[in-house]
Amino acid sequence: MTTTLPEVGEVVVLKTYESDPWLLVCATNDDAQTITGTLLADLAHETVLRIAASIGDRPRRRRLTEAVRRADLRTLEVPVRDYRHRGGPGIQGCSSPAPVN
């Protein structure tokens, strides 16, 4: 079964925890079929508000995600089978990203 990795900046739900926490995807590894991200619960309230304000704005979301990645916060590496999309794949409010050639 082939699973499409979420895009960097997407917020996904972790299925392996009872509380279904949200994870900001900071990196993907197609070869290992894993994603690496930071739990929204581990971010400052202001950062979460900025992420929410970036709905529909892929460049802004990517800049915020890069700032979170550089902040050296705790991250989780998760197999693709352990997450699900929130509503649908992609950054909420954005059209599907153009394929990379």
Side-chain angles (χ1 to χ4, degrees):
M1 175 177 93
T2 303
T3 303
T4 302
L5 293 172
E7 66 178 291
V8 170
E10 186 173 346
V11 176
V12 297
V13 179
L14 296 181
K15 300 186 302 187
T16 55
Y17 297 89
E18 189 173 309
S19 62
D20 289 337
W22 291 6
L23 182 80
L24 176 65
V25 177
C26 296
T28 62
N29 183 328
D30 196 36
D31 293 335
Q33 288 290 291
T34 60
I35 59 174
T36 302
T38 299
L39 293 172
L40 263 60
D42 290 342
L43 298 175
H45 180 70
E46 181 179 322
T47 302
V48 174
L49 291 177
R50 287 181 180 184
I51 289 170
S54 70
I55 289 173
D57 186 345
R58 181 175 280 112
R60 183 175 178 195
R61 178 65 67 87
R62 293 225 171 125
R63 286 190 304 273
L64 287 166
T65 302
E66 179 61 23
V68 167
R69 191 187 64 74
R70 286 191 323 261
D72 197 32
L73 298 168
R74 184 174 67 131
T75 60
L76 297 173
E77 185 175 29
V78 180
V80 293
R81 69 179 175 275
D82 292 346
Y83 85 90
R84 66 178 165 78
H85 293 284
R86 292 177 43 235
I91 294 172
Q92 186 179 9
C94 292
S95 57
S96 296
V100 178
N101 293 324

